[in-house]
Amino acid sequence: HMRQWQHMPEELISNEHAVLLLNRLAKPIYDTLKLRASNLNRQRVYIEAVLFQDWISLQNEANLVDTHYRREHGLDNSTPPFFGYYVVVCLSRLMDLHLQSGVEMGLFCGHEQLCSAFWYRDFLLASLEQNLTNMKLCKEMYSKQIASPSTKPEPKGKKKKSAKGKQTNAKPKKTPEEVEDDLELKLIDLKRKLCRGLVRFIVCLRKGGFLKSPSFEFTSTRKQFEKRFEPYMSIRHPPFLSYDDYLSGADSSGIPDAAMFQATSELFQAAKVAAEAILQDLTHIDAYYRTVTEQEVRELLRVSVGNGVYLMKLRQYYGKSEPLQVSFDFDVHNEF
């Protein structure tokens, strides 16, 4: 599973410390797979009570193994944290599933909590995307080094040709696993665009006075934020984001209305293009190995197009005193 995304040196895999860590990984990996057989409520409870603690411990152990490997072979800090990357990716997936299930179950009530949920999920998906991309780039770089370990630069004006006169620098054909991994990265990017677009859409509604900030007698929006994301506080990476981070990240006081509408519209348009590209890619992948179904991608496409239309409608009401009723509908897709 690690080698599908990244290069793993043989001397690292055979290291006694790495072997111990791999043995430790078996149970949490099994529990993470078994998690999918439970309903959403049991998934959240099990993630909070068991899996987060297991993977936090594994994160510390993975960092120790990577550090020991660098010292043993005299490598500097530029050497990728092979085990660290993998554990962070698994932990990021669990955090995203935990937050996603909270939205599906309706635990985030009202525009303020939904805005914070989409904002935080954008951060988690960004962390997941960055780590997967780093792993993939390291693997590609190592593959190029193995393919041409002693290649000398050709003189200027000359091109290396094959016996038939064709250039030999054509890109190798991707394996089915690499095509599936690319599809997953595209899906993560699509969901990130939707999360950012929805955050800005809610901000536009709030700036136009169509949504009022809630007031409470026994709690506050800060307390609600801290309680909703409390399970993430003990996780070192991805780092915990505070309510102050959310306020600064979702602040649009200095952005003109026209620019805000334009940026939000571009995000939904980009999400539409991304969904259409994924639908095209699905035609080349066996349905049994797809990370997402065609039906779900079409639902995400409908969310992108629908919100773009609603944004245009909102723009027509902006600056007017006419009443506008706002509701949040998850009938098309249960996450967005």
Side-chain angles (χ1 to χ4, degrees), residues 24-25 66 181 213 300 335:
R24 281 271 291 111
L25 276 170
D66 287 328
D181 294 341
S213 297
L300 293 172
E335 297 177 30

Side-chain angles (χ1 to χ4, degrees), residues 73-134:
H73 292 82
L75 304 172
D76 56 22
N77 291 332
S78 63
T79 305
F82 299 103
F83 283 109
Y85 272 152
Y86 182 76
V87 174
V88 168
V89 164
C90 292
L91 195 50
S92 299
R93 291 189 199 277
L94 280 174
M95 295 172 72
D96 180 60
L97 176 61
H98 181 266
L99 182 51
Q100 165 199 322
S101 61
V103 174
E104 290 187 51
M105 294 168 61
L107 299 182
F108 293 88
C109 308
H111 72 275
E112 195 69 47
Q113 291 191 24
L114 283 173
C115 187
S116 65
F118 291 129
W119 174 82
Y120 211 116
R121 192 179 184 197
D122 175 35
F123 166 73
L124 294 178
L125 290 172
S127 175
L128 176 59
E129 184 180 27
Q130 180 182 5
N131 283 283
L132 287 175
T133 302
N134 289 340

